[in-house]
Amino acid sequence: MARNGVVSWRRRSSDQLDGSDPSPCGSEEVHVLAVDDSLVDRKVIERLLKISSCKVTAVDSGIRALQFLGLDEEKTAGDFNGLKVDLIITDYCMPGMTGYELLKKIKESSALREIPVVIMSSENVVARIDRCLEEGAEDFIVKPVKLSDVKRLRDFMTRDVGDRARSDGGGTTHKRKLHESSDASSSSPSVSSASSLSSSQPTTPSRSPSPSVSSSDPSSPSPPSTRSSGPCSPSSLESPTRRLKMTSGCD
Amino acid sequence: MDVAQLKRQLFAYTALLFHEGFLDEQFTQLQQLQDENNPDFVVEVVSLFFDDSERLLNELAKALDQQNIDFKKVDAHVHQLKGSSSSIGAQRVQRVCIAFRNYCQDKNVEGCLKCLQQVKHEFSLVKNKLETLFNLEKQILAAGGSPPT
């Protein structure tokens, strides 16, 4: 994809491959693949990413994501359409393939496993978060996604892209790095770090400017302890097999 | 009405919507994503939300009208509605959805039907109010004012 200095305004709202907004940083423009079945959420995440100087490709399913990454049945892994993906951000609850299943497929692929994957979910469930992190997700963002969440990812990605460009794409794992640094920082009101959750009650998508962990407010998702909350039921998350079987209605 | 008056009206109206819980902080987030290069972003997202919600409400009505209600299906639709309302900051809609999902879990038909009515009501309220808000913005622009931030 040619990158000249001219911004193509007619494509400015496009989420397609050949958007040619130049990165203010110059050479290291981050390309993010966003996966979400919700049209509203795709629009929002796309804008959040673009305003954070990322190139975005937004798709509506895990299958399409794998197709884009060159990991479907007809292509061999690594057969990219020419655009390197620096980060994958995916919704957890999607019909068909969940974000968790997509994460697993990506981490199982030798060609793709280096790509950091971030999971988004409206459900603030510790077991789910832990499971995703254990499977190799870089981070877990509780929806609704805010600008501060994306900015943090962006900073992480700039470092990471730089590192990967310098090393030969070697085995440096940044797993948990973002997660640990966001643990230390308490400036962002939005919650994505899992390690701060494991010892205390689940943190909520905080509406207040206070950086501290707050207890549930009425607008937060119901606590996971008592009841299952549908197809993405926290109570059924113990067994991966059972979890997968229950995903049919999950979106 | 002059621009200054309109802007005051818009400011007051928006504050009221927040105060009454129709909108929450996420709506402010969306407004922050709007700029001169993307001046219609909020209207566009909210329009998507309107269309998507209407579709979901229809699906919900259909699903709850069945002889044998598929509560998983109902829950899936409510989950979607909860998600999108949360993403645009439509707090009251989102809250009804939370209650709605609980009734789905309990397979409580009456509870679900009640919530359906409630969520339709809240949706129609927030739709009305947002349309009023957007209208005010349009008037400001038409009167020569700069886009409100």
Side-chain angles (χ1 to χ4, degrees):
Chain A
M1 183 201 73
R3 252 186 239 146
N4 51 31
V6 174
V7 175
S8 171
W9 290 116
R10 69 189 162 89
R11 289 197 199 277
R12 72 176 190 269
S13 57
S14 163
D15 62 357
Q16 294 314 303
L17 309 176
D18 45 0
S20 48
D21 308 273
S23 161
C25 303
S27 51
E28 281 177 16
E29 191 176 44
V30 175
H31 179 207
V32 182
L33 176 65
V35 191
D36 200 316
D37 63 308
S38 160
L39 188 50
V40 172
D41 288 357
R42 272 203 308 285
K43 179 130 180 123
V44 173
I45 192 74
E46 187 191 356
R47 181 74 193 125
L48 283 169
L49 289 165
K50 282 189 171 168
I51 213 174
S52 308
S53 312
C54 297
K55 264 183 62 57
V56 189
T57 301
V59 297
D60 64 1
S61 71
I63 309 267
R64 284 208 213 280
L66 291 176
Q67 282 170 354
F68 182 80
L69 293 164
L71 195 64
D72 57 7
E73 281 138 22
E74 284 136 38
K75 298 182 182 179
T76 55
D79 181 17
F80 295 118
N81 53 17
L83 276 177
K84 186 171 167 293
V85 170
D86 299 307
L87 173 71
I88 298 164
I89 183 164
T90 177
D91 190 25
Y92 185 93
C93 273
M94 296 188 290
M97 186 184 293
T98 67
Y100 177 73
E101 288 161 346
L102 175 61
L103 167 68
K104 285 208 336 188
K105 286 232 167 1
I106 290 165
K107 294 304 171 185
E108 282 162 9
S109 155
S110 50
L112 301 177
R113 71 163 67 104
E114 291 300 308
I115 306 176
V117 180
V118 172
I119 309 279
M120 305 177 280
S121 176
S122 57
E123 317 231 304
N124 189 3
V125 175
V126 175
R128 175 181 298 182
I129 295 168
D130 283 347
R131 175 188 308 274
C132 289
L133 293 175
E134 277 161 25
E135 201 58 45
E138 289 304 317
D139 202 349
F140 190 101
I141 298 176
V142 179
K143 282 181 162 183
V145 185
K146 296 173 161 38
L147 200 51
S148 53
D149 295 319
V150 175
K151 284 205 146 98
R152 203 187 61 244
L153 288 181
R154 177 77 177 90
D155 294 340
F156 162 70
M157 282 314 305
T158 310
R159 269 196 338 259
D160 193 42
V161 166
D163 288 350
R164 274 189 278 143
R166 283 189 291 274
S167 70
D168 295 322
T172 11
T173 54
H174 295 271
K175 201 185 296 190
R176 295 186 188 273
K177 189 173 175 179
L178 169 67
H179 161 68
E180 282 158 16
S181 66
S182 64
D183 208 18
S185 108
S186 58
S187 52
S188 167
S190 67
V191 175
S192 58
S193 166
S195 66
S196 61
L197 295 168
S198 50
S199 55
S200 59
Q201 76 272 28
T203 41
T204 60
S206 168
R207 305 269 179 242
S208 74
S210 160
S212 57
V213 171
S214 55
S215 51
S216 297
D217 66 47
S219 66
S220 70
S222 50
S225 51
T226 46
R227 52 168 77 250
S228 54
S229 50
C232 295
S233 156
S235 64
S236 62
L237 283 175
E238 305 314 303
S239 153
T241 313
R242 201 176 338 142
R243 171 82 197 87
L244 288 171
K245 283 188 186 151
M246 289 206 39
T247 56
S248 55
C250 170
D251 50 354
Chain B
M1 213 183 291
D2 69 4
V3 172
Q5 263 180 297
L6 284 166
K7 282 191 170 179
R8 276 197 298 273
Q9 220 184 335
L10 176 65
F11 184 81
Y13 192 69
T14 309
L16 184 66
L17 293 186
F18 276 87
H19 180 72
E20 291 180 338
F22 286 102
L23 297 176
D24 68 24
E25 185 195 275
Q26 186 61 16
F27 187 77
T28 311
Q29 279 280 314
L30 295 188
Q31 289 178 311
Q32 288 169 1
L33 298 179
Q34 186 162 287
D35 59 22
E36 57 277 1
N37 299 328
N38 293 267
D40 302 317
F41 174 69
V42 180
V43 172
E44 285 167 4
V45 181
V46 171
S47 302
L48 284 176
F49 167 69
F50 289 161
D51 293 343
D52 199 44
S53 302
E54 273 157 14
R55 175 187 64 88
L56 288 168
L57 290 171
N58 282 333
E59 293 295 321
L60 280 167
K62 260 195 278 182
L64 287 169
D65 202 27
Q66 304 300 309
Q67 280 281 20
N68 292 316
I69 296 174
D70 181 350
F71 285 99
K72 276 216 181 89
K73 194 172 181 190
V74 176
D75 184 68
H77 291 318
V78 179
H79 175 84
Q80 271 190 302
L81 184 59
K82 176 173 158 274
S84 54
S85 59
S86 155
S87 293
I88 70 139
Q91 191 183 69
R92 283 163 63 145
V93 175
Q94 185 196 357
R95 286 185 182 180
V96 178
C97 289
I98 292 170
F100 203 155
R101 290 195 79 191
N102 288 339
Y103 284 119
C104 288
Q105 292 319 300
D106 296 340
K107 298 197 196 310
N108 181 331
V109 183
E110 231 178 87
C112 284
L113 288 171
K114 195 182 72 170
C115 277
L116 177 59
Q117 288 321 306
Q118 254 184 300
V119 83
K120 274 172 146 171
H121 178 65
E122 289 299 338
F123 170 71
S124 130
L125 284 176
V126 78
K127 181 163 193 255
N128 246 304
K129 288 169 194 294
L130 284 168
E131 283 171 344
T132 304
L133 194 146
F134 294 146
N135 250 315
L136 274 171
E137 288 181 346
K138 257 198 264 184
Q139 284 179 59
I140 290 170
L141 286 172
S146 53
T149 39

